[in-house]
Amino acid sequence: MTTPPGRPADRPAAVIGGIGASLPPRVVTNQQVIEHGALDTSTDWITSRTGIHRRRLAGPDVGTGDLATAAARAAIDSAGPAGPRPDLLLLATTTPDRPCPATAPEVAHRLGLGPVPAFDLAAVCSGFLYALTTAAALLRSGTCQAPLVVAAEKYSAIIDPLDRDTAPLFGDAAAAVLLRRGDAAEPGALLETDWGSDGAGSDLIAIAGGGARLPATVGLRREEQYFRMRGRPVYAHAVRRMAASATAVLGATGWQPGDVRAFIGHQANQRILDAVADRLGIPPRHRFGNIREVGNTAGASVPLALADAAARGVRPPGAPTLLTAFGGGLTWASATLLWPDAPVRTAPPEPRPHTLDHKEVGTP
Ligand code: UT7
């Protein structure tokens, strides 16, 4: 077990006690994405510029809540029968099943958690780390004892298959961690977090329509219906912001980059990940990710990569770990933690039960 330098071991900490993940079974290759959208690009361009070879895409019968429920249940299973009962559910997503209400209460209901507080948090690709930061603060304050932090995204629902700038990049997934109260020296302990935003860049990653400013009811142009991203400026922001945020959280923890044994960044682009790690001075042998297999799964990306690496046992429990993410908003966030020892559970998406189907109430 590693005791991080400069860190008082007696401060109560939020500890990851369970880890779960859910991926749709359907694997879609770059070639299939290109053919589906008749895109003016190539598999070579996609793999060399992004590191992505394939992704998982959910069918029309699967929603974000179905992915979230499966990952959340897996995280509860991971914590085992002696694990805590979740008393709050936070769902990081920018692809909620409906604009209203939030998806989280339905997920909590499907998990049988009873009348726990449950809400969505929208911070795009920084969503998981924003939710983790929020949940840990609520735990430390005594507001809750065992928050369940879920990140779930169905980007295939908002991506334009004809847009070569975004269609090859994204995939669908969910991942979740169950937190419990513990101490800062044990495996899974969350140590420090850093987060921030810059709304001056809010148009760089956006869906223009469907909200209050441009409601879906006005009749939207194709450009306004789908997720759009200006890749080049986003790339530059992503490298700069993640490197700065990671540096800040390392400083708050009392770690040098050389102390880090596991670096997991938002799986947006392999070149971005390498640039951030190079700037920080973290060598390739300490970098972990799964972008090659799953693409960019937005808010779910960091916990999914953590779950993947933890399932492979790449580091011993307690190893100093650095997470960082960047996304629309613009938002960014980072966290330091000790590598968890919870066994990772995975599950396919859970279909929405028939009893939750919308009942027509008729019109007067
Ligand atoms: O998850 C939230 C955060 N997201 C990110 O951090 C993503 C950030 N951005 C990126 O990952 C990259 O900017 C992209 C993968 C989106 C694009 O890669 P890039 O190396 O930055 O390409 P670029 O936008 O600088 O474009 C280079 C060239 C351009 O052509 P010209 O102007 O040099 O003639 C583009 O039109 O590549 C062209 N291009 C493409 N060519 C073939 C852009 N997309 C494609 C494509 N296939 N899919």
Side-chain angles (χ1 to χ4, degrees):
M1 192 183 302
T2 309
T3 304
R7 173 85 197 178
D10 57 350
R11 185 171 139 187
V15 173
I16 295 176
I19 307 176
S22 180
L23 283 165
R26 187 162 67 104
V27 177
V28 177
T29 64
N30 290 341
Q31 185 60 33
Q32 287 172 305
V33 172
I34 293 169
E35 284 168 11
H36 182 62
L39 301 178
D40 179 17
T41 185
S42 66
T43 54
D44 279 353
W45 194 96
I46 297 169
T47 54
S48 64
R49 295 292 186 118
T50 70
I52 298 166
H53 287 239
R54 53 193 72 84
R55 72 286 295 141
R56 303 289 191 92
L57 298 185
D61 52 332
V62 168
T64 294
D66 303 331
L67 288 157
T69 303
R73 206 185 299 281
I76 296 169
D77 288 350
S78 156
R85 185 176 171 78
D87 60 356
L88 181 144
L89 190 146
L90 234 171
L91 174 60
T93 187
T94 8
T95 54
D97 281 336
R98 295 175 284 185
C100 174
T103 305
E106 185 185 309
V107 173
H109 170 69
R110 290 170 63 180
L111 294 168
L113 300 184
V116 300
F119 57 101
D120 289 3
L121 188 154
V124 200
C125 300
S126 309
F128 173 74
L129 289 177
Y130 260 60
L132 188 68
T133 301
T134 305
L138 291 170
L139 184 149
R140 288 194 190 107
S141 73
T143 303
C144 61
Q145 300 295 319
L148 182 54
V149 181
V150 192
E153 304 279 18
K154 188 185 177 190
Y155 262 55
S156 59
I158 60 170
I159 291 297
D160 182 351
L162 308 185
D163 177 25
R164 80 169 182 180
D165 293 343
T166 55
L169 304 180
F170 290 89
D172 303 331
V177 298
L178 178 58
L179 299 180
R180 62 171 173 78
R181 212 174 164 82
D183 71 70
E186 63 177 306
L190 181 65
L191 301 179
E192 296 290 345
T193 54
D194 175 78
W195 54 356
S197 76
D198 178 6
S202 61
D203 290 337
L204 295 178
I205 298 174
I207 304 174
R213 188 173 291 166
L214 195 56
T217 46
V218 301
L220 300 174
R221 293 184 290 122
R222 187 177 186 96
E223 278 298 303
E224 296 159 345
Q225 291 170 7
Y226 286 107
F227 177 96
R228 299 287 178 202
M229 177 171 71
R230 289 180 47 208
R232 196 174 293 190
V234 169
Y235 188 117
H237 275 287
V239 173
R240 188 163 63 87
R241 296 296 195 182
M242 280 195 280
S245 176
T247 300
V249 83
L250 287 176
T253 314
W255 288 354
Q256 300 297 321
D259 294 325
V260 174
R261 289 293 172 271
F263 168 77
I264 294 176
H266 168 48
Q267 306 288 296
N269 184 318
Q270 190 58 50
R271 290 185 300 140
I272 293 176
L273 288 162
D274 290 340
V276 172
D278 286 348
R279 276 195 188 197
L280 294 170
I282 295 173
R285 68 182 182 282
H286 295 327
R287 307 172 188 175
F288 299 100
N290 57 355
I291 186 170
R292 181 187 167 96
E293 301 301 320
V294 298
N296 181 347
T297 59
S301 141
V302 166
L304 190 71
L306 176 65
D308 178 67
R312 290 187 285 122
V314 301
R315 284 291 174 264
T321 301
L322 171 65
L323 309 179
T324 188
F326 174 86
L330 303 171
T331 57
W332 56 87
S334 300
T336 48
L337 67 149
L338 302 182
W339 194 259
D341 63 0
V344 177
R345 298 278 183 258
T346 58
E350 280 187 30
R352 192 173 191 257
H354 181 67
T355 50
L356 279 170
D357 283 353
H358 176 66
K359 302 261 187 314
E360 283 299 332
V361 291
T363 46

